Amino acid sequence: MKKSKSNIRLDRNRLILLVLAILLYISGYFVVRTEKLLIHRVSFRTKSNSEKVYHHRIIGGDFGVPMLRGSAPWIITDVAYYLYWPLRLAE
């Protein structure tokens, strides 16, 4: 079965839209990390043999006392935390 030119164009347009959506998603993560809505946190614990075990993770940013700053940054941080979970895990 032959594909018509309109189907090929439609497939190409879908591919372009998919690539643009992925690029917007990745660039959005870059902006979120740059603006410190999500931050890289390193912590450690010491084992009984004095060996340090490090833990790395990406967490929501801390904007201070929420009653003084409003709740919008916390909502944005929470949405970004769950929206970008695949990239957080990859990082």
Side-chain angles (χ1 to χ4, degrees), residues 1-4 7-8:
M1 189 156 114
K2 251 181 157 175
K3 277 191 169 184
S4 68
N7 284 343
I8 293 172

Side-chain angles (χ1 to χ4, degrees), residues 17-55:
L17 286 175
L18 179 65
V19 168
L20 285 175
I22 291 171
L23 288 175
L24 281 172
Y25 181 75
I26 292 172
S27 62
Y29 184 71
F30 177 75
V31 169
V32 163
R33 292 281 282 127
T34 303
E35 293 296 318
K36 308 249 188 291
L37 292 175
L38 296 177
I39 57 172
H40 180 221
R41 182 174 184 172
V42 180
S43 59
F44 70 91
R45 64 182 173 88
T46 307
K47 290 184 172 182
S48 60
N49 61 357
S50 298
E51 177 187 354
K52 288 184 181 178
V53 179
Y54 289 92
H55 303 280

